[in-house]
């Protein structure tokens, strides 16, 4: 189990940053590949796909999946022509 | 293990070959499988080492399931990314779903509730070592959690935000989808935020008192 006080603070931070409208996991997952490729091209994803960016801050499962996907695309040779 | 496909394809090439029949389709499937398998060691870094005896079997299962899903969802590919990024995204979901299930197989929400009770912040209860203001804040937040959230919301928050359980595992145990669980947690956060504002507090204020 995580440190209780750290968990408490993280939860409060999440509450503080909660928006009225947030993407669901399905909505974020639908465009996660686009988001990852935008990051690879050095584009400003916070401006281009702000709701996905926000969801990845709020959802630990989707963040883990994004990080795993980025490890693959950053590995280079697996990234062929479009 | 084959690590690299022998051909480079555009998105259009991939879709064309996967939607055809015969040797071209088989070749595309074989290359796609190789691409998925080559990506998994990177994706699972920190989860499962390629040297682990479980890795190869898991990778084979993930590649198989990923190809099935890719073929099933081919028409939903929107050309907004590299086709292979889209495929890797599906593979990552398949792989992490299985690894989360294995990692948390022995943890049940029922046991968690029985052990820790309803108050999700029990573990962060006030202690004599903390200053009065912090103890007051913890008491207020604890009260708001009890008054504002449903049992289901408190349980989900405790499991995900305090215990660090994956949404996917919690959702499965609560009999809902991960999507529905995220919405439930979002609603819980919104309720708390609004209630704190009605009480003349903001989460940022409370947080600041703990810095």
């Amino acid at each position: 189990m995580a440190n209780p006080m750290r968990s408490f603070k993280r939860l409060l931070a999440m509450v503080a940053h909660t928006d009225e409208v947030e993407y669901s996991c399905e909505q974020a997952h639908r465009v996660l590949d686009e988001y990852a490729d935008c990051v690879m091209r050095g584009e400003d994803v916070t401006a281009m796909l702000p709701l996905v960016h926000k969801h990845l801050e709020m959802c630990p499962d989707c963040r883990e999946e994004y990080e795993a996907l980025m490890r693959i695309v950053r590995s280079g040779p697996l990234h062929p022509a479009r | 293990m084959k690590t690299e496909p022998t051909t480079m394809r555009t998105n259009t090439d991939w879709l064309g070959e996967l939607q055809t029949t015969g040797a071209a389709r088989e070749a595309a499937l074989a290359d796609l499988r190789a691409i998925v398998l080559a990506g998994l060691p990177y994706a699972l870094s920190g989860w499962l080492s390629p040297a682990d005896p479980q890795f190869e079997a898991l990778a084979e299962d993930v590649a198989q399931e990923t190809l099935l899903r890719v073929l099933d969802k081919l028409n939903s590919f929107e050309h907004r990314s590299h086709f292979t990024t889209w495929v890797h995204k599906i593979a990552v979901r398949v792989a992490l779903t299985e690894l989360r299930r294995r990692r948390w197989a022995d943890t049940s929400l029922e046991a968690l509730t029985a052990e820790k009770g309803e108050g999700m912040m029990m573990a962060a209860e006030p202690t004599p070592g903390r200053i009065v203001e912090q103890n007051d804040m913890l008491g207020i937040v604890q009260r708001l959690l009890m008054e504002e959230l449903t049992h289901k919301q408190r349980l989900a928050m405790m499991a995900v935000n305090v215990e660090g359980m994956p949404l996917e595992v919690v959702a499965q145990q609560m009999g809902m989808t991960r999507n529905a669980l995220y919405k439930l947690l979002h609603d819980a956060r919104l309720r708390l935020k609004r209630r704190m504002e009605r009480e003349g507090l903001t989460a940022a204020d409370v947080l600041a008192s703990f810095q």
Side-chain angles (χ1 to χ4, degrees):
Chain A
M1 176 184 159
N3 177 300
M5 186 49 71
R6 193 178 303 157
S7 299
F8 175 68
K9 287 181 184 177
R10 193 170 57 234
L11 176 61
L12 280 177
M14 288 177 72
V15 170
H17 291 100
T18 295
D19 290 333
E20 291 287 327
V21 176
E22 291 182 7
Y23 260 10
S24 67
C25 294
E26 272 177 22
Q27 287 171 310
H29 190 255
R30 194 168 62 81
V31 289
L32 195 64
D33 48 327
E34 179 185 359
Y35 185 93
D37 278 358
C38 285
V39 170
M40 286 299 288
R41 289 193 297 269
E43 292 169 357
D44 182 5
V45 284
T46 58
M48 290 176 67
L49 296 162
L51 288 172
V52 184
H53 186 75
K54 182 66 180 244
H55 183 84
L56 294 179
E57 287 182 340
M58 291 295 192
C59 179
D61 286 30
C62 289
R63 191 166 55 248
E64 277 178 345
E65 290 172 21
Y66 164 67
E67 288 167 356
L69 179 60
M70 287 307 294
R71 285 195 293 274
I72 300 174
V73 296
R74 283 192 172 122
S75 69
L78 309 173
H79 218 53
R82 186 166 177 176
Chain B
M1 180 190 298
K2 187 180 176 186
T3 56
E4 296 263 343
T6 52
T7 56
M8 299 286 272
R9 296 174 175 86
T10 64
N11 286 355
T12 307
D13 291 338
W14 278 116
L15 291 177
E17 290 174 33
L18 290 171
Q19 285 171 327
T20 188
T21 55
R25 182 173 190 264
E26 292 309 311
L29 279 171
D31 283 349
L32 203 52
R33 181 176 172 280
I35 288 172
V36 170
L37 287 171
L40 285 174
Y42 297 97
L44 303 187
S45 165
W47 286 84
L48 191 64
S49 163
D52 190 295
Q54 296 180 42
F55 186 91
E56 197 170 334
L58 175 81
E60 291 293 336
D61 288 348
V62 169
Q64 178 71 16
E65 178 63 23
T66 300
L67 293 189
L68 289 173
R69 291 191 192 188
V70 164
L71 292 175
D72 188 48
K73 296 169 186 274
L74 216 46
N75 290 332
S76 70
F77 177 63
E78 295 173 338
H79 291 265
R80 293 181 181 184
S81 67
H82 288 94
F83 179 73
T84 48
T85 307
W86 182 73
V87 173
H88 286 307
K89 174 184 77 172
I90 293 170
V92 163
R93 168 63 63 90
V94 173
L96 294 198
T97 296
E98 176 58 19
L99 287 172
R100 288 176 182 133
R101 189 189 65 75
R102 291 183 191 180
R103 185 173 285 184
W104 293 88
D106 298 330
T107 307
S108 81
L109 283 176
E110 275 183 25
L112 207 63
T113 318
E115 185 189 341
K116 307 208 168 160
E118 274 270 316
M120 65 170 290
M121 287 304 161
M122 293 297 187
E125 275 183 342
T127 64
R130 292 193 190 111
I131 61 173
V132 173
E133 186 189 5
Q134 290 181 344
N135 283 342
D136 287 349
M137 285 296 188
L138 278 170
I140 290 169
V141 174
Q142 182 81 298
R143 177 172 61 80
L144 298 186
L145 284 164
M146 294 303 290
E147 290 177 1
E148 198 62 29
L149 304 188
T150 65
H151 167 71
K152 218 171 180 178
Q153 286 174 321
R154 282 194 300 273
L155 183 62
M157 247 187 188
M158 179 170 75
V160 173
N161 298 112
V162 179
E163 298 294 323
M165 289 177 72
L167 272 84
E168 204 160 284
V169 171
V170 174
Q172 195 266 330
Q173 292 196 24
M174 291 179 80
M176 59 174 67
T177 63
R178 170 168 150 188
N179 209 47
L181 178 61
Y182 185 84
K183 287 178 179 173
L184 180 130
L185 286 167
H186 175 230
D187 182 55
R189 283 188 276 110
L190 260 185
R191 278 170 175 247
L192 269 181
K193 188 178 184 181
R194 290 173 183 153
R195 177 65 188 272
M196 288 171 90
E197 285 167 358
R198 288 202 301 275
E199 300 263 338
L201 288 168
T202 67
D205 291 336
V206 179
L207 196 57
S209 73
F210 288 93
Q211 301 306 319

